[in-house]
């Protein structure tokens, strides 16, 4: 079968080249649309259950965190549950097994929460965290007013009611968390002496404020063929609305809130502060990306939306970028791309020098970028990111990608040399095809065997698997594509570009230059300048070890044994210091 594919590719070289061009167009599209990130996402699939209850940490732990944790223990595919309690809030982290779909996990948690919520104390507010991974923090900004025209609570209000909602509508954004600033609120400061004089309890003021901030609905009244809605409008729109709330009527005279208390606007009690460059309190926002999204594209959409919002900022306020992961992504990808290009150039130069025949060297040189480009097509459809690890897998396979092409062209080179030296007996095309058929199947399977060496990497699980599997996938995909090209594109190119006779067109100097570049000279291996130099270096030590085989083996064993103490003293670490 492999020989039949090689024969078909050699006889239909234009069709194979056209198919390769179409595949390269698909590879270009895949490279433009594949998700980009600096590193693979090493985080577990987890769901965060957040609860609010204004009680002490011990009560929150006993009556909120512990019941939720025990209720979720029986959820399917749960690997670990961690609870954390503090004053006023509770966090429960539900960690699922590797490979669990995050939205399936969220659905299971909601199912189990629906069973436990009726048993929680009254007033407990429970919600799920954003559908993001632990590395979803991709962008952070600060809303700064260096003119001093706006207070901290004004900037916080603009962030909470304008910027946050605008950014949450950006595709790929899971949450926009606000940090810093002060939350504006209505504050009712009660005068205890006034309460005592009116013989009112404090609860009366609390109940009046709660009842006074609500709309109530009536019913419809039909009048003259029209329907009119009856409702009571009572939403608080300002300080005066709270001041006019009635506590009770005394002798026909209403006792209002303003008679026993002072109503004002003020900041809510806060337990943290955000500072930028030591210049004081600022308001900021943290943009969290939805799990599985393309980080670079999400950041671009965020920046575009912020540019749209800049004209609507309060006078004197400005947006300052505090953290932008796109810079890290670009620098990481550019570093790997530069090294990949350098590696391709060096390998191509080595091939050209050692083969010393440009038409033959052209086949493996073209194979390298084609294999690398086509590897992005299966990577895209498998959902793999282009990051340091996946691109590193392609980089370490560059030197092996061309092995098959080198073997094929070198065998064809030698066959043609012997054919020329033997007086050109038979058909030139038949000699080329026989040379390809002779080594093609072996080359194909040898490349697949090299790819099998990375199969154990796929058995890694958890963080190790998530870190190294992209490298193994990209390396094996590139090797598989190189094996396919070795029996399709390489024979087609070899049949198309191999030429025996020199060019004879005019002017003569151009014909000679074209012949030297595109035809070349077929030399015997012993007359190759590089081979002669290598043989001169290699032959003396080779003859020496052949004369003393037992001593050579003993020296090799002794050298291996000396590495055992060094190996035992080496430490181990998951990742090197970064």
């Amino acid at each position: 079968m492999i020989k039949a594919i090689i024969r078909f590719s050699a006889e239909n070289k234009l069709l194979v080249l056209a198919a390769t061009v179409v595949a390269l167009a698909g590879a270009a599209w895949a490279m433009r649309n594949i998700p980009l990130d600096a590193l693979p996402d090493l985080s577990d699939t987890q769901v965060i259950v957040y609860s609010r209850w204004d009680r002490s940490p011990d009560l929150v732990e006993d009556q909120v965190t512990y019941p939720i944790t025990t209720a979720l223990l029986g959820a399917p595919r749960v690997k670990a549950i961690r609870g954390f309690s503090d004053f006023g809030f509770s966090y429960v982290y539900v960690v699922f097994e590797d490979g669990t779909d995050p939205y399936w996990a969220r659905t299971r948690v909601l199912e189990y929460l629906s069973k436990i919520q009726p048993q929680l104390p009254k007033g407990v507010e429970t919600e799920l965290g954003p559908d993001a991974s632990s590395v979803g923090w991709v962008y952070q900004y600060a809303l700064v007013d260096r003119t001093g025209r706006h207070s901290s609570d004004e900037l916080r209000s603009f962030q909470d009611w304008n910027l946050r909602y605008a950014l949450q509508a950006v595709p790929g954004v899971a949450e926009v968390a606000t940090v810093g600033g002060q939350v504006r609120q209505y504050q009712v400061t009660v005068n205890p002496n006034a309460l005592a004089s009116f013989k009112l309890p404090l609860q009366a003021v609390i109940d009046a404020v709660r009842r006074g901030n609500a709309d109530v609905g009536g019913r419809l009244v039909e009048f003259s063929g029209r329907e009119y809605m009856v409702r009571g409008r009572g939403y608080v729109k300002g300080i005066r609305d709270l001041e006019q709330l009635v506590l009770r009527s005394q002798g026909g005279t209403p006792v209002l809130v303003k008679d026993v208390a002072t109503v004002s606007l003020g900041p809510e009690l806060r337990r943290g502060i955000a500072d930028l460059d030591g210049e004081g309190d600022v308001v900021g926002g943290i943009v969290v990306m939805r799990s599985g999204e393309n980080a670079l594209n999400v950041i671009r959409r965020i920046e575009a939306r912020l540019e749209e919002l800049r004209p609507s900022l309060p006078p004197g306020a400005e947006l300052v970028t505090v953290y932008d992961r796109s810079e890290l992504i670009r620098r990481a990808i550019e570093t790997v791309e530069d090294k990949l290009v350098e590696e391709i150039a060096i390998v191509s130069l080595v091939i050209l020098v050692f083969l010393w025949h440009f038409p033959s060297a052209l086949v493996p040189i073209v194979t390298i970028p084609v294999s690398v480009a086509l590897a992005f097509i299966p990577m895209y459809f498998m959902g793999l990111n282009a990051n340091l690890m996946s691109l590193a897998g392609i980089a370490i396979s560059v030197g092996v990608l061309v092995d098959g092409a080198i073997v094929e062209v070198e065998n064809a080179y030698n066959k043609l040399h012997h054919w020329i030296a033997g007086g050109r007996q038979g058909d030139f095309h038949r000699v080329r095809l026989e040379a390809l058929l002779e080594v093609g199947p072996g080359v194909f399977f040898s490349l697949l065997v090299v790819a099998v060496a990375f199969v154990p990497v796929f058995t890694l699980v958890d963080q190790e698997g998530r870190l190294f599997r992209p490298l193994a996938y990209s390396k094996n995909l590139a090797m598989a594509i190189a094996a396919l090209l070795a029996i399709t594109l390489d024979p087609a190119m070899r049949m198309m570009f191999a030429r025996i006779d020199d060019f004879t067109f005019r002017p003569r100097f151009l014909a000679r230059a074209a012949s030297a570049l595109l035809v070349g000279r077929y030399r015997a291996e012993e007359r190759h300048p590089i081979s002669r130099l290598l043989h001169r270096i290699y032959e003396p030590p080779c003859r020496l070890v052949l004369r003393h085989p037992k001593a050579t083996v003993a020296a090799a064993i002794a050298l291996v044994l000396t590495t055992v103490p060094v190996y035992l003293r080496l430490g181990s670490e998951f990742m090197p210091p970064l």
Side-chain angles (χ1 to χ4, degrees):
M1 176 180 170
I2 302 300
K3 289 185 176 181
I5 296 175
I6 295 175
R7 187 182 298 275
F8 176 84
S9 302
E11 294 174 353
N12 301 273
K13 46 188 176 295
L14 293 179
L15 178 62
V16 173
L17 291 176
T20 304
V21 172
V22 173
L24 287 175
W29 179 86
M31 285 188 285
R32 286 196 300 268
N33 293 276
I34 194 170
L36 300 176
D37 211 333
L39 288 169
D41 188 353
L42 305 183
S43 59
D44 294 304
T45 300
Q46 70 173 7
V47 179
I48 303 174
V49 181
Y50 173 57
S51 304
R52 292 187 297 271
W53 193 39
D54 293 331
R55 297 295 187 274
S56 61
D58 56 339
L59 286 177
V60 172
E61 175 70 24
D62 294 339
Q63 300 189 34
V64 179
T65 305
Y66 180 76
I68 293 177
T69 302
T70 54
L72 292 171
L73 285 174
R77 305 197 69 179
V78 171
K79 183 171 65 174
I81 300 179
R82 307 183 186 97
F84 176 76
S85 304
D86 202 344
F87 182 83
F89 62 84
S90 162
Y91 286 101
V92 176
Y93 299 87
V94 187
V95 182
F96 287 81
E97 295 176 0
D98 192 24
T100 304
D101 181 74
Y103 294 101
W104 182 90
R106 293 172 68 87
T107 304
R108 299 289 81 77
V109 171
L110 284 175
E111 289 177 359
Y112 279 77
L113 277 180
S114 63
K115 302 175 183 178
I116 191 62
Q117 278 183 327
Q119 304 176 27
L120 297 178
K122 184 179 179 181
V124 176
E125 300 177 4
T126 302
E127 62 185 70
L128 295 187
D131 53 338
S133 66
S134 57
V135 294
W137 186 340
V138 296
Y139 196 85
Q140 183 175 355
Y141 61 89
L143 186 59
V144 181
D145 178 22
R146 293 188 172 90
T147 63
R149 299 168 62 179
H150 302 283
S151 61
S152 176
D153 59 323
E154 290 176 342
L155 295 177
R156 174 65 183 253
S157 297
F158 185 82
Q159 158 65 20
D160 287 341
W161 300 104
N162 294 274
L163 291 180
R164 183 163 66 95
Y165 292 129
L167 291 176
Q168 278 186 335
V170 173
V173 173
E175 183 186 34
V176 179
T178 302
V179 293
Q182 297 172 310
V183 179
R184 182 182 294 183
Q185 63 177 192
Y186 290 107
Q187 296 179 346
V188 180
T189 308
V190 178
N191 185 346
N193 296 326
L195 275 181
S197 65
F198 286 106
K199 298 180 180 180
L200 288 171
L202 179 62
Q203 190 63 36
V205 181
I206 297 175
D207 294 340
V209 172
R210 285 177 176 171
R211 292 193 307 266
N213 186 30
D215 271 15
V216 294
R219 59 172 298 170
L220 297 176
V221 176
E222 184 178 351
F223 185 74
S224 299
R226 295 185 178 182
E227 289 183 341
Y228 295 88
M229 292 179 292
V230 179
R231 63 172 179 163
R233 305 182 64 179
Y235 280 132
V236 173
K237 297 183 178 179
I239 295 176
R240 188 174 182 279
D241 294 337
L242 287 174
E243 291 177 338
Q244 296 299 318
L245 294 177
V246 177
L247 300 177
R248 76 173 186 186
S249 179
Q250 185 173 353
T253 302
V255 179
L256 307 179
V257 170
K258 68 178 181 179
D259 297 328
V260 298
T262 302
V263 182
S264 61
L265 286 174
E268 183 183 0
L269 178 66
R270 61 177 179 174
R271 303 172 63 189
I273 189 172
D275 178 84
L276 180 63
D277 298 331
E279 297 180 357
D281 187 15
V282 295
V283 178
I286 299 173
V287 184
V288 181
M289 178 186 69
R290 184 168 287 114
S291 180
E293 290 287 339
N294 187 333
L296 198 58
N297 289 344
V298 172
I299 294 172
R300 288 170 180 166
R301 291 193 288 264
I302 292 170
E303 292 175 339
R305 181 59 56 87
L306 288 177
E307 287 298 323
E308 296 175 2
L309 295 172
R310 288 186 191 277
S312 63
L313 295 178
E318 59 178 311
L319 285 170
V320 178
T321 300
V322 178
Y323 172 69
D324 183 357
R325 195 195 291 180
S326 62
E327 181 180 356
L328 173 63
I329 296 172
R330 292 191 186 98
R331 290 176 60 185
I333 300 300
E334 287 172 0
T335 299
V336 179
E337 287 179 346
D338 292 342
K339 298 305 176 185
L340 194 59
V341 171
E342 293 174 6
E343 189 175 5
I344 292 175
I346 293 173
V347 172
S348 302
L349 181 61
V350 170
I351 292 172
L352 188 60
V353 170
F354 276 82
L355 288 179
W356 209 258
H357 189 253
F358 183 77
S360 297
L362 183 65
V363 176
I365 289 174
V366 171
T367 301
I368 299 175
V370 173
S371 301
V372 170
L374 295 183
F376 283 90
I377 297 178
M379 285 175 59
Y380 174 81
F381 288 104
M382 292 174 64
L384 297 176
N385 287 354
N387 50 58
L388 279 175
M389 297 304 294
S390 59
L391 294 181
I394 295 177
I396 63 176
S397 65
V398 166
V400 191
L401 293 178
V402 295
D403 285 355
I406 290 176
V407 171
E408 288 182 342
V409 299
E410 188 173 10
N411 185 61
Y413 180 94
N414 289 328
K415 290 284 186 181
L416 290 175
H417 164 69
H418 291 299
W419 177 75
I420 294 173
R424 299 192 177 192
Q425 300 294 325
D427 183 26
F428 163 60
H429 297 86
R430 184 180 59 82
V431 175
R432 288 187 301 179
L433 183 57
E434 288 179 353
L436 295 172
L437 293 174
E438 182 179 1
V439 298
V443 165
F444 176 77
F445 290 109
S446 66
L447 290 175
L448 294 184
V449 169
V450 174
V452 172
F454 267 66
V455 169
V457 178
F458 295 105
T459 62
L460 297 175
V461 296
D462 298 333
Q463 281 82 6
E464 297 89 343
R466 287 189 285 272
L467 178 63
F468 291 109
R469 269 200 299 265
L471 183 145
Y473 271 123
S474 59
K475 197 256 187 188
N476 282 4
L477 289 173
M479 292 299 302
I481 291 174
L484 182 63
L485 293 179
I487 59 175
T488 54
L489 179 63
D490 294 349
M493 292 183 60
R494 186 60 186 162
M495 295 296 288
M496 176 171 287
F497 296 112
R499 183 183 174 91
I500 297 297
D501 299 322
D502 292 342
F503 292 100
T504 57
F505 59 84
R506 294 179 182 274
R508 295 290 185 183
F509 73 94
L510 286 180
R512 287 193 294 270
S515 299
L517 182 63
L518 301 178
V519 179
R521 294 289 179 267
Y522 290 88
R523 301 181 178 88
E525 185 177 358
E526 58 273 10
R527 296 183 59 190
H528 194 290
I530 302 297
S531 298
R532 290 164 59 187
L533 176 62
L534 293 179
H535 278 271
R536 191 177 299 117
I537 298 173
Y538 174 73
E539 187 174 352
C542 180
R543 292 184 179 277
L544 176 65
V545 298
L546 289 177
R547 285 195 301 267
H548 305 88
K550 295 181 179 180
T552 303
V553 174
I557 295 175
L559 184 61
V560 172
L561 292 177
T562 58
T563 64
V564 174
V566 178
Y567 172 77
L568 295 177
R569 297 182 62 182
L570 287 176
S572 60
E573 194 173 1
F574 175 60
M575 290 187 67
L578 300 178

